[in-house]
Amino acid sequence: MALAVLEDRVPPEWSDYNGHMSAPYFAVAFGAANDQAMEVLGLGCAYREHTGNGLYVVEARYTYRIGMASGDAYRVSTWLGGADDKRLSLTHRLTRSNGQIAAEAEILFVHVDRSGPRAVAFDSDLRGRLTGMSALAHLRSPAA
């Protein structure tokens, strides 16, 4: 089961000259899914305001499989890929309304004290919860 699911439609302004969803807008969709997943994990706006810490993207890998067009409905399903002392990874799968996989993303984040900014470890309770969840991630991750 996915950690979070985001559903939307491709807006007309996301289309390129071929009438397909332009590559940068897949990143926009995955970014919105990142935000939603952070809220579910307790690492969203309230966490940033309370702790002064946040997560910064340090690596992203996108795989494009089939095109999307203006108005197409899509779903982004998100899974926790893993976590350690300072890092967290998410895996996203963007599917068309018929279930076909259109694109996938693997995003690696580093936990940052934003006043530095500098990388810092998650506090022990949060780290334990995230690593515990990531230990089971293979049971929930999408099939290749």
Side-chain angles (χ1 to χ4, degrees):
M1 179 174 212
L3 173 69
V5 175
L6 172 74
E7 296 186 75
D8 209 340
R9 290 193 172 275
V10 177
E13 60 271 17
W14 286 12
S15 294
D16 63 16
Y17 54 87
N18 290 314
H20 297 122
M21 184 171 164
S22 186
Y25 293 106
F26 282 93
V28 171
F30 291 133
N34 287 339
D35 292 345
Q36 183 183 48
M38 292 307 162
E39 292 296 333
V40 169
L41 291 169
L43 295 166
C45 291
Y47 176 79
R48 288 189 304 274
E49 290 175 13
H50 177 72
T51 65
N53 297 335
L55 287 145
Y56 288 12
V57 174
V58 293
E59 185 176 337
R61 179 175 177 254
Y62 303 102
T63 304
Y64 305 99
R65 296 179 183 254
I66 58 173
M68 300 284 292
S70 177
D72 283 352
Y74 67 86
R75 169 184 283 198
V76 180
S77 300
T78 303
W79 292 267
L80 178 62
D84 63 18
D85 288 352
K86 297 180 184 179
R87 297 175 301 173
L88 178 137
S89 68
L90 295 177
T91 301
H92 301 294
R93 177 172 283 165
L94 190 147
T95 55
R96 298 177 72 147
S97 59
N98 65 4
Q100 287 181 297
I101 301 168
E104 295 171 306
E106 297 173 35
I107 313 292
L108 179 64
F109 300 86
V110 67
H111 187 242
V112 171
D113 174 343
R114 297 180 312 145
S115 68
R118 63 183 173 81
V120 294
F122 293 109
D123 73 40
S124 60
D125 290 340
L126 180 56
R127 182 174 55 245
R129 186 169 56 82
L130 292 172
T131 56
M133 290 174 71
S134 67
L136 302 174
H138 71 282
L139 299 175
R140 296 185 299 265
S141 295

